[in-house]
Amino acid sequence: YGGSVRHPRRSTYVTRVLYPGSFDPIHNGHLELIEVASRLFDSVVVATIGNPQKTTGLYSLHERRTMIEESVAHLPNVEVTSYSSLVVNLAREVGADFIVKGLRAVSDFGSELQQSQMNLAISGVHTVFIPSATEHSFVASKWIREIARFGGDVSSMVPAPVAARLAESFQEPPA
């Protein structure tokens, strides 16, 4: 793989991973994966990607990045960035040893495996898969947006800063 960086104060290696995604918006399934990755690896870079295949976005890259930063503030080894290019280019740029991807269900595995194999072929960067906990396996950003748009309560499925932002985004204008 891409190699590791020796930590200046330890004789062990520092492993840096990249967790890319649209995060529109970030939800508790994403947060769970970030928290697990922050325990498994020394450094985690969360990158909200401008994905041209997803044209139904609710929040701008800047807004998504801000919500992620607010949601991971309790994790000192996590940093957040945004990007609008190939994930493997960002992995090289941030010095990631691996790309981390979450799996909610068996149906996610096929497309994620193909993507990871393509990323490996063009960059040499491996992907590590982390399965989500059962309580988060059904959560998807598209459903969060839809439920919030129609006034449903998603506060149990998203971090507090995101719940507040969603409430703001879909509040009824004064009559």
Side-chain angles (χ1 to χ4, degrees):
Y1 64 94
S4 295
V5 178
R6 199 174 278 281
H7 192 281
R9 291 181 298 266
R10 300 188 306 205
S11 61
T12 60
Y13 288 95
V14 173
T15 304
R16 187 173 178 87
V17 297
L18 172 65
Y19 178 32
S22 298
F23 306 112
D24 190 22
I26 186 172
H27 55 66
N28 289 342
H30 295 134
L31 186 57
E32 173 204 351
L33 193 135
I34 295 165
E35 289 172 339
V36 169
S38 76
R39 289 191 305 271
L40 292 173
F41 304 104
D42 299 300
S43 175
V44 179
V45 178
V46 179
T48 182
I49 305 292
N51 186 343
Q53 294 175 351
K54 293 186 179 181
T55 57
T56 58
L58 177 61
Y59 295 108
S60 70
L61 275 177
H62 175 74
E63 289 171 313
R64 287 183 270 154
R65 182 177 176 166
T66 299
M67 285 188 281
I68 297 167
E69 288 170 342
E70 292 168 351
S71 300
V72 301
H74 64 290
L75 301 170
N77 64 331
V78 175
E79 62 186 80
V80 182
T81 190
S82 54
Y83 205 67
S84 293
S85 186
L86 291 175
V87 170
V88 293
N89 291 344
L90 179 59
R92 266 190 233 111
E93 185 180 306
V94 301
D97 301 300
F98 302 100
I99 295 170
V100 171
K101 297 294 286 205
L103 297 173
R104 292 175 291 195
V106 173
S107 57
D108 288 346
F109 184 71
S111 62
E112 292 293 351
L113 179 63
Q114 281 185 310
Q115 186 176 24
S116 73
Q117 291 168 329
M118 183 63 77
N119 287 343
L120 179 62
I122 64 174
S123 72
V125 178
H126 287 271
T127 300
V128 175
F129 296 108
I130 299 176
S132 69
T134 305
E135 69 265 20
H136 300 299
S137 64
F138 64 92
V139 181
S141 294
K142 67 181 178 180
W143 302 124
I144 298 291
R145 290 191 305 266
E146 191 74 9
I147 293 166
R149 182 175 283 117
F150 289 101
D153 181 13
V154 295
S155 61
S156 67
M157 294 177 254
V158 296
V162 177
R165 185 75 53 91
L166 284 165
E168 251 175 51
S169 297
F170 295 113
Q171 71 183 0
E172 292 290 321

